[in-house]
Coordinates of all heavy atoms in Angstrom, one line a residue:
I9 N 8.7 -6.7 3.2 CA 9.5 -6.6 1.9 C 10.6 -5.7 2.2 O 11.7 -6.0 1.6 CB 8.5 -6.0 0.9 CG1 7.2 -6.9 0.7 CG2 9.2 -5.7 -0.4 CD1 7.2 -7.8 -0.5
L10 N 10.4 -4.7 2.9 CA 11.6 -3.7 3.2 C 12.7 -4.6 4.0 O 13.8 -4.2 3.8 CB 11.2 -2.5 4.0 CG 10.3 -1.5 3.2 CD1 9.8 -0.4 4.0 CD2 11.0 -1.0 2.0
F11 N 12.3 -5.4 4.8 CA 13.2 -6.3 5.6 C 14.1 -7.1 4.6 O 15.3 -7.1 4.8 CB 12.5 -7.2 6.5 CG 13.4 -8.2 7.3 CD1 14.1 -7.7 8.3 CD2 13.4 -9.5 6.9 CE1 15.0 -8.7 9.0 CE2 14.2 -10.4 7.5 CZ 15.0 -9.9 8.6
L12 N 13.5 -7.7 3.6 CA 14.2 -8.4 2.6 C 15.2 -7.6 1.8 O 16.1 -8.2 1.3 CB 13.2 -9.2 1.7 CG 12.4 -10.3 2.4 CD1 11.5 -10.9 1.4 CD2 13.4 -11.4 2.9
I13 N 14.8 -6.4 1.6 CA 15.7 -5.4 0.9 C 16.8 -5.0 1.8 O 18.0 -4.9 1.4 CB 15.0 -4.2 0.3 CG1 14.0 -4.8 -0.8 CG2 15.9 -3.2 -0.3 CD1 12.9 -3.7 -1.2
G14 N 16.5 -4.7 3.0 CA 17.5 -4.0 4.0 C 18.6 -5.1 4.5 O 19.8 -4.7 4.6
L15 N 18.2 -6.3 4.7 CA 19.1 -7.2 5.3 C 20.3 -7.5 4.3 O 21.5 -7.5 4.8 CB 18.4 -8.6 5.6 CG 19.3 -9.5 6.4 CD1 19.7 -9.0 7.9 CD2 18.5 -10.9 6.6
P16 N 20.2 -7.7 3.0 CA 21.3 -7.9 2.2 C 22.2 -6.6 2.1 O 23.4 -6.7 1.9 CB 20.8 -8.2 0.8 CG 19.4 -8.7 1.0 CD 18.9 -8.0 2.3
L17 N 21.6 -5.4 2.3 CA 22.4 -4.2 2.2 C 23.2 -4.1 3.5 O 24.3 -3.5 3.5 CB 21.4 -3.0 2.1 CG 20.7 -2.8 0.8 CD1 19.7 -1.7 0.9 CD2 21.7 -2.6 -0.3
I18 N 22.7 -4.7 4.6 CA 23.6 -4.6 5.8 C 24.6 -5.7 5.9 O 25.7 -5.3 6.2 CB 22.5 -4.7 7.1 CG1 21.7 -3.5 7.2 CG2 23.4 -4.9 8.4 CD1 20.6 -3.6 8.1
I19 N 24.3 -7.0 5.7 CA 25.3 -8.0 5.9 C 25.8 -8.6 4.5 O 26.6 -9.4 4.5 CB 24.7 -9.1 6.7 CG1 23.5 -9.8 6.0 CG2 24.3 -8.6 8.1 CD1 23.0 -11.1 6.8
G20 N 25.3 -8.1 3.4 CA 25.7 -8.6 2.1 C 24.7 -9.7 1.5 O 24.2 -10.5 2.4
P21 N 24.7 -9.8 0.3 CA 23.8 -10.8 -0.4 C 24.2 -12.2 -0.1 O 23.3 -13.2 0.1 CB 23.7 -10.5 -1.8 CG 24.9 -9.5 -2.1 CD 25.2 -8.9 -0.8
Q22 N 25.5 -12.5 -0.1 CA 26.0 -13.9 0.1 C 25.6 -14.4 1.4 O 25.2 -15.5 1.6 CB 27.4 -14.0 -0.3 CG 28.0 -15.5 -0.2 CD 29.4 -15.6 -0.5 OE1 30.1 -14.6 -0.6 NE2 29.9 -16.7 -0.6
K23 N 26.0 -13.6 2.5 CA 25.7 -14.0 3.8 C 24.1 -14.1 4.1 O 23.8 -14.9 4.9 CB 26.3 -13.1 4.9 CG 27.8 -13.1 4.9 CD 28.4 -12.3 6.0 CE 29.9 -12.5 6.0 NZ 30.5 -11.8 7.1
T24 N 23.4 -13.3 3.5 CA 22.0 -13.3 3.6 C 21.4 -14.7 3.1 O 20.6 -15.4 3.7 CB 21.2 -12.2 2.8 OG1 21.7 -10.9 3.4 CG2 19.8 -12.2 3.0
L25 N 21.9 -15.1 1.9 CA 21.5 -16.4 1.3 C 22.0 -17.5 2.2 O 21.1 -18.5 2.4 CB 21.9 -16.5 -0.1 CG 21.3 -15.6 -1.1 CD1 21.9 -15.8 -2.5 CD2 19.8 -16.0 -1.3
L26 N 23.1 -17.5 2.7 CA 23.6 -18.5 3.5 C 22.9 -18.6 4.8 O 22.5 -19.7 5.4 CB 25.0 -18.3 3.9 CG 26.0 -18.6 2.7 CD1 27.5 -18.2 3.1 CD2 26.0 -20.0 2.2
F27 N 22.4 -17.5 5.4 CA 21.7 -17.4 6.5 C 20.2 -18.1 6.4 O 19.8 -19.0 7.2 CB 21.5 -16.0 7.1 CG 20.5 -16.0 8.3 CD1 20.9 -16.5 9.5 CD2 19.2 -15.3 8.1 CE1 20.1 -16.3 10.6 CE2 18.5 -15.3 9.3 CZ 18.9 -15.7 10.5
F28 N 19.5 -17.7 5.4 CA 18.1 -18.3 5.1 C 18.2 -19.6 4.6 O 17.2 -20.4 4.8 CB 17.5 -17.3 4.1 CG 16.9 -16.1 4.8 CD1 17.6 -14.8 4.4 CD2 15.9 -16.1 5.6 CE1 17.1 -13.6 5.1 CE2 15.4 -14.9 6.1 CZ 16.1 -13.7 6.0
A29 N 19.3 -20.2 4.0 CA 19.4 -21.5 3.4 C 19.9 -22.5 4.4 O 20.0 -23.7 4.1 CB 20.3 -21.5 2.2
R30 N 20.2 -22.1 5.7 CA 20.7 -23.0 6.7 C 19.6 -24.1 7.0 O 18.5 -23.7 7.1 CB 21.2 -22.4 7.9 CG 22.4 -21.6 7.7 CD 22.7 -20.6 8.8 NE 23.1 -21.4 10.0 CZ 23.3 -20.9 11.1 NH1 23.3 -19.5 11.3 NH2 23.6 -21.5 12.2
R31 N 20.0 -25.3 7.2 CA 19.1 -26.5 7.5 C 18.3 -26.2 8.7 O 17.1 -26.3 8.7 CB 19.9 -27.8 7.6 CG 18.9 -28.9 7.9 CD 19.8 -30.2 8.1 NE 20.4 -30.6 6.8 CZ 19.9 -31.4 5.9 NH1 18.7 -31.9 6.1 NH2 20.6 -31.8 4.9
E32 N 18.9 -25.7 9.8 CA 18.2 -25.5 11.1 C 17.2 -24.3 11.0 O 16.5 -24.0 11.9 CB 19.1 -25.4 12.2 CG 20.1 -24.2 12.1 CD 21.4 -24.6 11.5 OE1 21.5 -25.8 10.9 OE2 22.4 -23.9 11.5
K33 N 17.4 -23.4 9.9 CA 16.5 -22.1 9.9 C 15.4 -22.4 8.7 O 14.8 -21.5 8.4 CB 17.4 -21.0 9.5 CG 18.5 -20.6 10.5 CD 17.9 -20.2 11.8 CE 18.9 -19.7 12.7 NZ 18.4 -19.3 13.9
F34 N 15.3 -23.6 8.3 CA 14.4 -23.9 7.2 C 12.9 -23.5 7.6 O 12.2 -23.0 6.8 CB 14.4 -25.3 6.7 CG 13.5 -25.6 5.6 CD1 13.7 -25.0 4.3 CD2 12.3 -26.3 5.7 CE1 12.8 -25.4 3.2 CE2 11.4 -26.6 4.7 CZ 11.6 -26.0 3.5
R35 N 12.5 -24.0 8.7 CA 11.1 -23.8 9.1 C 10.8 -22.2 9.2 O 9.7 -21.7 8.8 CB 10.8 -24.3 10.6 CG 10.5 -25.8 10.5 CD 10.0 -26.2 11.9 NE 10.3 -25.4 12.9 CZ 10.4 -25.7 14.1 NH1 10.0 -26.9 14.5 NH2 10.6 -24.8 15.1
G36 N 11.8 -21.5 9.8 CA 11.6 -20.0 9.8 C 11.5 -19.4 8.4 O 10.8 -18.4 8.3
T37 N 12.4 -19.8 7.7 CA 12.4 -19.3 6.2 C 11.1 -19.6 5.5 O 10.6 -18.7 4.8 CB 13.7 -19.8 5.4 OG1 14.8 -19.4 6.1 CG2 13.7 -19.2 4.0
A38 N 10.7 -20.8 5.6 CA 9.4 -21.1 5.0 C 8.2 -20.3 5.5 O 7.4 -19.8 4.8 CB 9.2 -22.7 5.1
A39 N 8.1 -20.2 6.9 CA 7.1 -19.5 7.4 C 7.1 -18.0 7.1 O 6.1 -17.5 6.9 CB 7.1 -19.6 9.0
F40 N 8.3 -17.4 7.0 CA 8.5 -16.1 6.6 C 8.0 -15.8 5.2 O 7.2 -14.8 5.0 CB 9.9 -15.6 6.8 CG 10.1 -14.2 6.6 CD1 9.8 -13.3 7.5 CD2 10.7 -13.7 5.4 CE1 10.0 -11.9 7.4 CE2 11.0 -12.3 5.1 CZ 10.5 -11.4 6.2
G41 N 8.4 -16.7 4.3 CA 8.0 -16.6 2.9 C 6.5 -16.8 2.7 O 5.9 -16.1 2.0
I42 N 5.9 -17.8 3.4 CA 4.4 -18.0 3.3 C 3.8 -16.8 3.9 O 2.7 -16.4 3.4 CB 4.1 -19.3 4.1 CG1 4.6 -20.6 3.2 CG2 2.6 -19.4 4.2 CD1 4.6 -21.9 3.9
G43 N 4.3 -16.2 5.0 CA 3.6 -15.1 5.5 C 3.6 -13.8 4.5 O 2.5 -13.2 4.4
I44 N 4.7 -13.7 3.8 CA 4.7 -12.6 2.8 C 3.6 -12.9 1.7 O 2.9 -12.0 1.3 CB 6.0 -12.4 2.3 CG1 7.0 -11.9 3.3 CG2 6.1 -11.6 1.0 CD1 8.5 -11.7 3.0
I45 N 3.6 -14.2 1.3 CA 2.7 -14.6 0.3 C 1.2 -14.2 0.7 O 0.4 -13.7 -0.1 CB 2.9 -16.0 -0.3 CG1 4.3 -16.1 -1.1 CG2 1.8 -16.4 -1.1 CD1 4.6 -17.5 -1.3
L46 N 1.0 -14.7 1.9 CA -0.4 -14.5 2.5 C -0.8 -13.0 2.6 O -1.9 -12.6 2.3 CB -0.5 -15.1 3.9 CG -0.6 -16.6 3.9 CD1 -0.5 -17.2 5.3 CD2 -1.9 -17.2 3.2
I47 N 0.2 -12.2 3.0 CA -0.2 -10.8 3.0 C -0.3 -10.2 1.6 O -1.3 -9.5 1.4 CB 1.1 -10.0 3.7 CG1 1.1 -10.3 5.2 CG2 1.0 -8.5 3.5 CD1 2.4 -9.9 5.9
L48 N 0.4 -10.7 0.6 CA 0.1 -10.2 -0.7 C -1.2 -10.7 -1.3 O -1.7 -10.1 -2.2 CB 1.3 -10.5 -1.6 CG 2.7 -9.9 -1.4 CD1 3.8 -10.5 -2.1 CD2 2.5 -8.4 -1.5
M49 N -1.7 -11.8 -0.8 CA -2.9 -12.3 -1.2 C -4.2 -11.8 -0.4 O -5.3 -12.3 -0.4 CB -2.9 -13.9 -1.1 CG -2.0 -14.6 -2.0 SD -1.9 -16.3 -1.7 CE -3.4 -16.9 -1.5
R50 N -3.8 -10.8 0.4 CA -4.9 -10.0 1.2 C -5.4 -10.8 2.4 O -6.4 -10.6 2.9 CB -6.1 -9.6 0.3 CG -5.7 -8.6 -0.7 CD -6.9 -8.2 -1.5 NE -6.5 -7.0 -2.4 CZ -7.3 -6.1 -2.6 NH1 -8.5 -6.0 -2.1 NH2 -7.0 -5.0 -3.4
W51 N -4.6 -11.7 3.0 CA -4.9 -12.3 4.2 C -3.8 -11.8 5.3 O -3.0 -12.5 5.7 CB -4.6 -13.9 4.1 CG -5.7 -14.6 3.3 CD1 -6.1 -14.3 2.0 CD2 -6.4 -15.6 3.7 NE1 -7.0 -15.1 1.6 CE2 -7.3 -15.9 2.6 CE3 -6.5 -16.4 4.8 CZ2 -8.3 -17.1 2.7 CZ3 -7.5 -17.4 5.0 CH2 -8.2 -17.6 3.9
A52 N -3.9 -10.5 5.4 CA -3.0 -9.7 6.2 C -2.8 -10.2 7.6 O -1.6 -10.4 7.9 CB -3.2 -8.2 6.1
F53 N -3.8 -10.4 8.2 CA -3.6 -10.9 9.7 C -2.9 -12.1 9.9 O -2.1 -12.3 10.6 CB -4.9 -10.7 10.4 CG -4.9 -11.0 11.9 CD1 -4.4 -10.1 12.7 CD2 -5.4 -12.2 12.4 CE1 -4.2 -10.2 14.1 CE2 -5.2 -12.5 13.8 CZ -4.6 -11.5 14.7
I54 N -3.4 -13.1 9.1 CA -2.9 -14.4 9.2 C -1.5 -14.4 8.7 O -0.6 -15.1 9.3 CB -3.8 -15.4 8.5 CG1 -5.2 -15.5 9.1 CG2 -3.0 -16.9 8.3 CD1 -6.2 -16.4 8.3
G55 N -1.3 -13.6 7.6 CA 0.1 -13.6 7.1 C 1.1 -13.0 8.0 O 2.2 -13.4 8.2
F56 N 0.5 -11.9 8.7 CA 1.4 -11.3 9.7 C 1.7 -12.3 10.9 O 2.9 -12.2 11.3 CB 0.6 -10.1 10.4 CG 1.3 -9.4 11.5 CD1 2.5 -8.7 11.1 CD2 0.9 -9.5 12.8 CE1 3.1 -7.9 12.2 CE2 1.5 -8.9 13.8 CZ 2.7 -8.1 13.6
L57 N 0.8 -13.0 11.3 CA 1.1 -14.1 12.4 C 2.1 -15.1 11.9 O 3.1 -15.4 12.7 CB -0.2 -14.7 12.9 CG -1.2 -13.8 13.6 CD1 -2.5 -14.6 13.9 CD2 -0.6 -13.3 14.8
V58 N 1.9 -15.6 10.6 CA 2.8 -16.6 10.1 C 4.3 -16.0 10.0 O 5.2 -16.6 10.3 CB 2.3 -17.2 8.8 CG1 3.3 -18.1 8.2 CG2 1.0 -18.0 9.1
E59 N 4.3 -14.8 9.5 CA 5.5 -14.1 9.2 C 6.2 -13.8 10.6 O 7.5 -14.0 10.8 CB 5.3 -12.8 8.5 CG 6.5 -12.0 8.1 CD 6.2 -10.9 7.2 OE1 5.1 -10.9 6.6 OE2 7.1 -10.1 7.1
G60 N 5.4 -13.4 11.6 CA 6.0 -13.2 13.0 C 6.6 -14.4 13.5 O 7.7 -14.4 14.2
Y61 N 5.9 -15.6 13.3 CA 6.5 -17.0 13.8 C 7.8 -17.2 13.1 O 8.8 -17.6 13.7 CB 5.5 -18.0 13.5 CG 6.1 -19.4 13.7 CD1 6.3 -19.9 15.0 CD2 6.5 -20.2 12.6 CE1 6.9 -21.2 15.2 CE2 7.1 -21.5 12.8 CZ 7.2 -21.9 14.1 OH 7.8 -23.1 14.3
G62 N 7.9 -16.9 11.7 CA 9.0 -17.1 11.1 C 10.2 -16.3 11.5 O 11.4 -16.7 11.7
I63 N 10.0 -15.0 11.8 CA 11.0 -14.1 12.3 C 11.4 -14.6 13.7 O 12.7 -14.5 14.0 CB 10.5 -12.7 12.4 CG1 10.4 -12.1 11.0 CG2 11.3 -11.7 13.2 CD1 9.7 -10.7 10.8
G64 N 10.4 -15.1 14.5 CA 10.8 -15.6 15.8 C 11.8 -16.8 15.7 O 12.7 -16.9 16.5
V65 N 11.5 -17.7 14.8 CA 12.4 -18.9 14.6 C 13.7 -18.4 14.1 O 14.8 -19.0 14.5 CB 11.7 -20.0 13.6 CG1 12.7 -21.0 13.3 CG2 10.5 -20.5 14.3
L66 N 13.7 -17.5 13.1 CA 15.0 -17.0 12.5 C 15.9 -16.3 13.4 O 17.1 -16.5 13.4 CB 14.7 -16.2 11.2 CG 14.2 -17.0 10.0 CD1 13.7 -16.0 8.9 CD2 15.3 -17.9 9.4
F67 N 15.3 -15.4 14.2 CA 16.0 -14.5 14.9 C 15.9 -14.6 16.5 O 16.3 -13.8 17.2 CB 15.7 -13.0 14.5 CG 16.1 -12.8 13.0 CD1 15.1 -12.6 12.2 CD2 17.4 -12.6 12.7 CE1 15.4 -12.4 10.9 CE2 17.6 -12.4 11.3 CZ 16.6 -12.3 10.4
G68 N 15.2 -15.7 16.8 CA 15.0 -16.0 18.4 C 16.3 -16.1 19.1 O 16.3 -15.8 20.3
D69 N 17.4 -16.6 18.5 CA 18.7 -16.7 19.2 C 19.3 -15.4 19.7 O 20.2 -15.3 20.5 CB 19.6 -17.4 18.3 CG 19.2 -18.9 18.1 OD1 18.4 -19.4 18.8 OD2 19.6 -19.5 17.1
F70 N 18.8 -14.3 19.0 CA 19.3 -12.9 19.4 C 18.6 -12.4 20.6 O 19.0 -11.3 21.0 CB 19.1 -12.0 18.1 CG 20.1 -12.3 17.0 CD1 19.6 -12.6 15.8 CD2 21.5 -12.4 17.1 CE1 20.3 -12.9 14.7 CE2 22.3 -12.6 16.1 CZ 21.7 -12.9 14.8
L71 N 17.6 -12.9 21.1 CA 16.9 -12.2 22.2 C 17.9 -12.2 23.4 O 17.8 -11.1 24.1 CB 15.7 -13.1 22.7 CG 14.5 -13.0 21.7 CD1 13.4 -14.0 22.2 CD2 14.1 -11.6 21.7
L72 N 18.7 -13.1 23.7 CA 19.7 -13.0 24.9 C 20.6 -11.9 24.6 O 21.1 -11.2 25.6 CB 20.1 -14.3 25.2 CG 19.2 -15.3 25.6 CD1 20.0 -16.6 25.9 CD2 18.4 -14.9 26.8
T73 N 21.1 -11.7 23.4 CA 22.0 -10.6 23.0 C 21.4 -9.3 23.2 O 22.0 -8.4 23.7 CB 22.5 -10.8 21.6 OG1 23.1 -12.2 21.5 CG2 23.5 -9.8 21.2
I74 N 20.1 -9.2 22.7 CA 19.3 -8.0 22.9 C 19.2 -7.7 24.4 O 19.3 -6.5 24.8 CB 18.0 -8.1 22.2 CG1 18.2 -8.1 20.7 CG2 17.1 -6.9 22.6 CD1 16.9 -8.4 19.9
A75 N 18.9 -8.7 25.2 CA 18.7 -8.4 26.6 C 19.9 -8.0 27.3 O 20.0 -7.1 28.2 CB 18.3 -9.8 27.3
G76 N 21.2 -8.4 26.8 CA 22.4 -7.9 27.4 C 22.7 -6.5 27.1 O 23.0 -5.8 28.0
Y77 N 22.4 -6.1 25.9 CA 22.5 -4.6 25.4 C 21.4 -3.7 26.3 O 21.8 -2.7 26.6 CB 22.4 -4.5 23.9 CG 23.7 -4.8 23.3 CD1 23.7 -6.0 22.4 CD2 24.8 -4.1 23.4 CE1 24.8 -6.3 21.8 CE2 26.1 -4.5 22.8 CZ 26.0 -5.6 22.0 OH 27.2 -6.0 21.3
A78 N 20.3 -4.3 26.3 CA 19.2 -3.5 26.9 C 19.5 -3.3 28.5 O 19.0 -2.3 29.0 CB 17.9 -4.2 26.8
G79 N 20.1 -4.3 29.0 CA 20.5 -4.2 30.5 C 21.4 -3.1 30.8 O 21.5 -2.6 32.0
A80 N 22.1 -2.5 29.8 CA 23.1 -1.4 30.0 C 22.2 0.1 30.0 O 22.9 1.0 30.3 CB 24.1 -1.3 29.0
V81 N 21.0 0.1 29.7 CA 20.3 1.3 29.6 C 20.0 1.7 31.1 O 19.6 0.9 31.9 CB 19.0 1.1 29.0 CG1 18.1 2.4 29.0 CG2 19.2 0.7 27.6
P82 N 20.4 3.0 31.5 CA 20.1 3.4 32.8 C 18.7 3.3 33.3 O 17.8 3.6 32.5 CB 20.6 4.9 32.9 CG 21.5 5.1 31.5 CD 21.0 4.1 30.6
V83 N 18.5 3.1 34.4 CA 17.1 3.1 35.2 C 16.3 1.9 34.7 O 15.9 1.1 35.5 CB 16.5 4.4 35.0 CG1 15.2 4.3 35.8 CG2 17.3 5.6 35.7
V84 N 15.9 1.8 33.4 CA 14.9 0.8 33.0 C 15.6 -0.5 32.4 O 15.0 -1.4 32.0 CB 14.0 1.5 31.9 CG1 13.1 2.6 32.5 CG2 14.7 1.9 30.6
G85 N 17.0 -0.4 32.2 CA 17.6 -1.4 31.6 C 17.4 -2.8 32.3 O 17.1 -3.8 31.6
P86 N 17.6 -2.9 33.5 CA 17.3 -4.2 34.2 C 16.0 -4.7 34.0 O 15.8 -6.0 33.9 CB 17.8 -3.8 35.7 CG 18.5 -2.7 35.7 CD 18.2 -1.9 34.5
W87 N 15.0 -3.9 34.0 CA 13.5 -4.3 33.8 C 13.4 -4.9 32.3 O 12.7 -5.9 32.1 CB 12.6 -3.2 34.0 CG 12.7 -2.8 35.5 CD1 13.3 -1.7 36.1 CD2 12.1 -3.5 36.6 NE1 13.1 -1.6 37.4 CE2 12.3 -2.7 37.7 CE3 11.3 -4.7 36.7 CZ2 12.0 -3.2 39.1 CZ3 10.8 -5.0 37.9 CH2 11.2 -4.2 39.1
I88 N 14.0 -4.1 31.4 CA 13.9 -4.5 30.1 C 14.6 -6.0 29.9 O 14.0 -6.8 29.3 CB 14.5 -3.6 29.1 CG1 13.7 -2.2 29.1 CG2 14.6 -4.2 27.6 CD1 14.2 -1.1 28.4
R89 N 15.8 -6.1 30.5 CA 16.6 -7.3 30.3 C 15.8 -8.4 30.9 O 15.7 -9.5 30.3 CB 17.9 -7.2 31.0 CG 18.8 -8.4 30.8 CD 20.1 -8.4 31.5 NE 19.9 -7.9 32.8 CZ 20.8 -7.2 33.6 NH1 21.8 -6.6 32.9 NH2 20.6 -6.9 34.8
L90 N 15.2 -8.2 32.1 CA 14.5 -9.3 32.7 C 13.2 -9.7 31.8 O 13.0 -10.9 31.7 CB 13.9 -8.8 34.1 CG 13.1 -9.8 34.9 CD1 14.0 -11.0 35.3 CD2 12.6 -9.0 36.1
G91 N 12.5 -8.8 31.3 CA 11.4 -9.1 30.4 C 11.8 -9.8 29.1 O 11.2 -10.9 28.7
V92 N 12.9 -9.5 28.5 CA 13.4 -10.2 27.3 C 13.9 -11.6 27.6 O 13.6 -12.5 27.0 CB 14.5 -9.3 26.6 CG1 15.1 -10.1 25.5 CG2 13.9 -7.9 26.1
E93 N 14.6 -11.8 28.8 CA 15.1 -13.0 29.3 C 13.9 -13.9 29.5 O 13.9 -15.1 29.2 CB 15.9 -13.0 30.5 CG 17.4 -12.4 30.1 CD 18.2 -12.1 31.3 OE1 17.6 -12.2 32.5 OE2 19.4 -11.8 31.1
R94 N 12.8 -13.4 30.1 CA 11.6 -14.3 30.3 C 10.9 -14.6 29.0 O 10.5 -15.8 28.9 CB 10.6 -13.5 31.2 CG 11.0 -13.4 32.6 CD 9.9 -12.8 33.5 NE 10.4 -12.9 34.9 CZ 9.8 -12.2 35.9 NH1 8.6 -11.7 35.6 NH2 10.2 -12.3 37.1
I95 N 10.8 -13.8 28.1 CA 10.3 -14.1 26.8 C 11.2 -15.2 26.1 O 10.7 -16.1 25.5 CB 10.2 -12.8 25.8 CG1 9.1 -12.0 26.5 CG2 9.9 -13.2 24.5 CD1 9.1 -10.5 25.8
A96 N 12.4 -15.0 26.1 CA 13.4 -16.1 25.6 C 13.2 -17.4 26.3 O 13.2 -18.4 25.6 CB 14.8 -15.6 25.7
A97 N 13.0 -17.4 27.6 CA 12.8 -18.7 28.3 C 11.4 -19.3 27.8 O 11.3 -20.6 27.6 CB 12.7 -18.5 29.8
L98 N 10.3 -18.5 27.7 CA 9.1 -19.0 27.2 C 9.2 -19.7 25.8 O 8.5 -20.7 25.5 CB 8.0 -17.9 27.3 CG 7.5 -17.5 28.6 CD1 6.6 -16.3 28.5 CD2 6.9 -18.7 29.3
L99 N 9.9 -19.0 24.9 CA 10.2 -19.4 23.6 C 11.1 -20.6 23.4 O 11.2 -21.2 22.5 CB 10.6 -18.2 22.7 CG 9.6 -17.1 22.4 CD1 10.2 -16.0 21.6 CD2 8.3 -17.6 21.9
G100 N 12.0 -20.8 24.5 CA 12.9 -21.9 24.6 C 14.2 -21.6 23.6 O 14.8 -22.5 23.2
V101 N 14.4 -20.4 23.5 CA 15.6 -20.0 22.8 C 16.8 -19.8 23.7 O 16.6 -19.6 24.8 CB 15.4 -18.6 21.9 CG1 14.3 -18.8 20.9 CG2 15.2 -17.5 22.8
G102 N 18.0 -19.7 23.1 CA 19.2 -19.6 23.9 C 19.9 -21.0 24.3 O 20.8 -21.0 24.9
R103 N 19.1 -22.0 24.0 CA 19.6 -23.3 24.5 C 20.2 -24.1 23.2 O 20.7 -25.2 23.3 CB 18.4 -24.2 24.9 CG 18.0 -23.7 26.1 CD 16.9 -24.7 26.7 NE 15.7 -24.0 26.4 CZ 14.4 -24.7 26.6 NH1 14.4 -25.9 27.0 NH2 13.3 -24.0 26.4
G104 N 20.3 -23.4 22.1 CA 20.8 -23.9 20.9 C 22.3 -23.9 20.8 O 23.0 -23.9 21.8
R105 N 22.8 -23.9 19.6 CA 24.2 -23.9 19.4 C 24.9 -22.6 19.8 O 26.1 -22.6 20.2 CB 24.6 -24.1 17.9 CG 24.1 -25.5 17.4 CD 24.5 -25.8 16.0 NE 24.9 -24.7 15.3 CZ 25.2 -24.6 14.0 NH1 24.9 -25.7 13.3 NH2 25.6 -23.5 13.4
G106 N 24.1 -21.5 19.9 CA 24.7 -20.2 20.3 C 25.6 -19.5 19.4 O 26.3 -18.5 19.7
D107 N 25.6 -19.9 18.1 CA 26.5 -19.2 17.2 C 25.7 -18.1 16.5 O 24.5 -18.1 16.4 CB 27.1 -20.2 16.1 CG 26.0 -20.9 15.4 OD1 24.8 -20.8 15.7 OD2 26.4 -21.5 14.3
L108 N 26.4 -17.1 15.9 CA 25.8 -16.1 15.2 C 25.4 -16.5 13.8 O 26.0 -17.5 13.2 CB 26.8 -14.9 15.1 CG 27.1 -14.3 16.4 CD1 28.1 -13.2 16.2 CD2 26.0 -13.7 17.0
P109 N 24.3 -16.0 13.1 CA 23.8 -16.5 12.0 C 24.6 -16.1 10.8 O 24.4 -16.5 9.7 CB 22.4 -15.8 11.9 CG 22.5 -14.6 12.7 CD 23.6 -14.9 13.8
V110 N 25.5 -15.1 11.0 CA 26.3 -14.7 9.8 C 27.7 -14.9 9.9 O 28.2 -15.1 11.1 CB 26.0 -13.2 9.5 CG1 24.6 -13.0 9.0 CG2 26.2 -12.3 10.6

């Protein structure tokens, strides 16, 4: 719930609605919403898993960007970048259009 409040404050309400309403992000938006509903209905663990899937679909394209920034951290950066890149490869992200969501 705090995520839904914070995102419009950071990028603005219009860009938030445009991001969640995109055709290619529909599965993620639906899963995220269903996850919140399940959590509110006291099915917390299942709701958390469904919501996590939705967040993965919505923001999975950012994993490679995160890996690039994490690689600049001294000493542990290359290890973090390698781990994030492997996770991205397992999830199959980074092969899409490559555009930013906002």
Side-chain angles (χ1 to χ4, degrees):
I9 303 253
L10 292 175
F11 174 76
L12 292 176
I13 295 169
L15 192 62
L17 292 175
I18 293 172
I19 65 173
Q22 183 179 10
K23 287 185 178 183
T24 302
L25 288 174
L26 288 174
F27 173 70
F28 284 106
R30 290 170 64 183
R31 180 181 295 267
E32 60 270 7
K33 301 291 184 180
F34 179 73
R35 280 191 341 197
T37 302
F40 186 75
I42 291 170
I44 289 175
I45 291 169
L46 287 172
I47 289 171
L48 293 175
M49 291 174 42
R50 295 181 171 216
W51 288 55
F53 184 72
I54 295 172
F56 176 74
L57 293 177
V58 172
E59 192 173 334
Y61 170 76
I63 289 174
V65 171
L66 286 170
F67 300 104
D69 296 335
F70 289 120
L71 283 178
L72 297 177
T73 304
I74 293 169
Y77 284 111
V81 175
V83 181
V84 296
W87 295 101
I88 294 172
R89 182 179 58 217
L90 181 64
V92 172
E93 287 175 350
R94 285 187 179 173
I95 291 171
L98 286 174
L99 295 175
V101 297
R103 292 184 256 172
R105 294 181 353 188
D107 60 344
L108 295 176
V110 290

